[in-house]
Amino acid sequence: MRVLGILCWLSISAMAQDGVDPEYVIPKKNPHSTPADVQAGARLFMAQCAGCHGPKGEGGKGAVLAQPRLRRAPDDESLFRVIRDGIKGTEMPAGYAVDTKETWQLAAYVRSLGRAPAEVVPGDPKRGEEIYRGKGNCAQCHTVRGEGGVLGPELTDIGARRSAAHLRAAVLDPERTLPEGFLLVRIRTKDGRAITGVRLNEDIFTIQIRDLNGGLHSFIKADLAELEKETGKTPMPSFRAVLSAAETDDLVAYLASLRGAQ
Ligand code: HEC
Ligand code: HEC
């Protein structure tokens, strides 16, 4: 029993060096938030987070952190949790390469970003919404608050998850901004049917796709004559030639205003 206890203690203290002690009781207030902590946090952030969130938290592939209130991290305790555990079902990973103190220093830096002035998005969201529904016909493939198609990702809270710069790039150069795990596939069955769609799931023997009209299909791979994966391709068209510069600004302003169901 004693030996087991010591082993346990050893493995927990070993973990604490490259992770957070699982027994750690998270205090309500950040205990490491001096200017020196913020600076240390900034260095860690550059190395581990800036690739997705932008060096100033301006967002990108990751959420905009330079805003006064974070949806998933309204207080210090929840911010600590998000950085330690990541957010399941999203691209936000667990911060397993940092210890408890470093997690707090990251949290202190993230909070300091929230005090910077918010990103200014030119354009009129009201006109942008008209373009979204009309000329852009975006609802054909995207859902906002329960309305629209399902081929593309849901956009109900896209403004909280992506920077305006990313949204602009997604509309103008969709192939440059593909979300992680997104894959377009082209299938030909042995009985001659051809289907193009977005991969939903795949294992060694089967693949499930959503076709461009929204229909679901499941195939046994052995029944296929051809299975082609089009990495870096998307059915989303570029709107560069369709929208004027002012219309693009309006559309981006509308997308940036989408911050959840409310
Ligand atoms: C691989 C990309 C990626 C990396 C690396 C990453 N994040 Fe994230 N992060 C995301 C995404 C995507 C979200 C939005 C998840 C969602 O809500 O859909 C997010 C969300 C967050 C949130 C919640 C934002 C909110 O509005 O509530 C915080 C805080 C955060 N990240 C901090 C960090 C920190 C600190 C690091 C570095 C230790 C980090 N992230 C590393 C992609 C990333
Ligand atoms: C033919 C279907 C289709 C149409 C029409 C379409 N999209 Fe998309 N869209 C997609 C698909 C599929 C993706 C995911 C792959 C990608 O990023 O290209 C996507 C991705 C996006 C993203 C990036 C989402 C993210 O998480 O980064 C945004 C933003 C977006 N679309 C906005 C729009 C807007 C605005 C319009 C109308 C002007 C539009 N889309 C029209 C299919 C479509």
Side-chain angles (χ1 to χ4, degrees):
M1 219 33 223
R2 260 219 10 240
V3 175
L4 204 73
I6 290 170
L7 274 179
C8 246
W9 179 82
L10 277 176
S11 63
I12 286 174
S13 55
M15 270 195 68
Q17 286 167 17
D18 53 351
V20 178
D21 176 355
E23 305 285 307
Y24 180 60
V25 179
I26 308 170
K28 290 242 174 297
K29 276 238 137 314
N30 187 341
H32 299 282
S33 57
T34 64
D37 288 319
V38 173
Q39 246 177 34
R43 277 194 300 275
L44 291 164
F45 190 89
M46 287 315 148
Q48 303 205 22
C49 326
C52 287
H53 288 286
K56 296 266 167 240
E58 64 273 36
K61 196 170 148 186
V64 180
L65 300 180
Q67 51 183 334
R69 196 180 168 281
L70 297 175
R71 278 179 321 155
R72 312 258 208 182
D75 52 45
D76 285 357
E77 198 182 336
S78 51
L79 179 55
F80 184 94
R81 244 179 247 288
V82 163
I83 299 173
R84 181 187 64 181
D85 304 337
I87 303 171
K88 286 227 166 56
T90 79
E91 288 162 41
M92 172 66 199
Y96 37 74
V98 292
D99 62 21
T100 305
K101 183 172 174 199
E102 290 169 332
T103 303
W104 279 124
Q105 290 174 328
L106 278 164
Y109 181 66
V110 168
R111 279 294 177 245
S112 78
L113 296 172
R115 291 189 286 269
E119 179 182 26
V120 180
V121 184
D124 174 354
K126 272 245 151 338
R127 280 202 304 264
E129 182 169 4
E130 283 161 27
I131 294 163
Y132 181 94
R133 291 175 188 283
K135 195 168 177 180
N137 198 12
C138 316
Q140 175 199 339
C141 296
H142 292 285
T143 293
V144 171
R145 295 191 198 98
E147 235 183 275
V150 290
L151 181 64
E154 167 155 11
L155 300 181
T156 303
D157 61 352
I158 194 76
R161 288 190 289 114
R162 310 286 199 193
S163 69
H166 174 97
L167 295 173
R168 181 179 298 274
V171 170
L172 298 178
D173 303 303
E175 288 183 349
R176 266 184 41 212
T177 56
L178 294 184
E180 205 136 291
F182 180 85
L183 187 65
L184 191 69
V185 290
R186 235 173 254 287
I187 281 174
R188 210 158 45 77
T189 58
K190 283 186 176 155
D191 56 12
R193 286 185 302 148
I195 294 149
T196 299
V198 174
R199 180 179 66 181
L200 298 174
N201 264 305
E202 178 174 5
D203 58 31
I204 308 174
F205 304 109
T206 69
I207 185 165
Q208 287 76 43
I209 71 167
R210 192 188 293 286
D211 70 29
L212 300 188
N213 301 315
L216 296 175
H217 305 264
S218 183
F219 297 102
I220 295 171
K221 286 182 185 172
D223 295 343
L224 299 177
E226 223 176 277
L227 169 57
E228 218 181 299
K229 298 185 175 170
E230 311 237 26
T231 355
K233 290 258 168 63
T234 165
M236 166 140 172
S238 165
F239 287 85
R240 196 179 276 289
V242 180
L243 302 174
S244 70
E247 286 172 330
T248 306
D249 281 350
D250 292 343
L251 184 62
V252 170
Y254 170 62
L255 295 173
S257 77
L258 296 174
R259 283 164 185 269
Q262 272 145 34

